[in-house]
Every structure is written in structure tokens, then in C-alpha cells.
Amino acid sequence: MNDDDPFLTEEELALHAEVKLLRQEHADLDASIEALSHMPLPDQLLIARLKRKKLLLRDEIVRIEGRILPDIIA
């Protein structure tokens, strides 16, 4: 056993997995937005909806990361 590896609870492992999935979805949305914006007649309403969803994902990622690594006032 390596002492340098932190011990992670089942909940922390699940949170890490969820963050990984959300980051992938965030990246996929970013790629979709980029592709849509380069179309000859981009659908601005769809792009705006995807951007809002991307922001919601970012907020969720930050919230979950806060549960994984809570702020500690020293």
C-alpha cells in the first residue's frame, strides 16, 4: 500500500466519477457550440440554450468539487 495515496470514501469516489462525466458533457457542449457557430446560418437560439446548459454544468461541477475539497480556514 502506498502512503502517498489519499484514502477516498465510496462517496468521494462517486463524486469524482460524477465530476468526470460532467466535465466530459461540458466539453461536448463546448464542441457543439463551436461547430454550430461556424455554420453559415447559426441557430442563435440553440447556441444560447447550449451555453446556458454549459453554465449550469459548470456550476454543478464547482458545487461537487466543493463537497470533495471543502474550504478549510486555517
Side-chain angles (χ1 to χ4, degrees), residues 9-69:
T9 65
E10 289 292 322
E11 180 183 8
E12 288 171 327
L13 289 172
L15 291 174
H16 281 283
E18 187 174 354
V19 166
K20 184 177 178 181
L21 288 173
L22 291 174
R23 284 184 190 273
Q24 182 60 52
E25 188 175 350
H26 188 270
D28 292 346
L29 282 172
D30 195 39
S32 297
I33 291 166
E34 183 69 22
L36 285 171
S37 66
H38 290 306
M39 294 184 73
L41 292 171
D43 184 346
Q44 295 300 327
L45 183 60
L46 178 57
I47 291 172
R49 287 179 180 156
L50 292 176
K51 285 182 177 182
R52 273 194 298 279
K53 185 173 182 179
K54 188 176 154 189
L55 286 172
L56 290 172
L57 283 174
R58 171 56 52 199
D59 290 343
E60 183 68 10
I61 291 168
V62 169
R63 186 187 67 75
I64 293 171
E65 287 176 339
R67 288 179 59 195
I68 295 170
L69 298 172

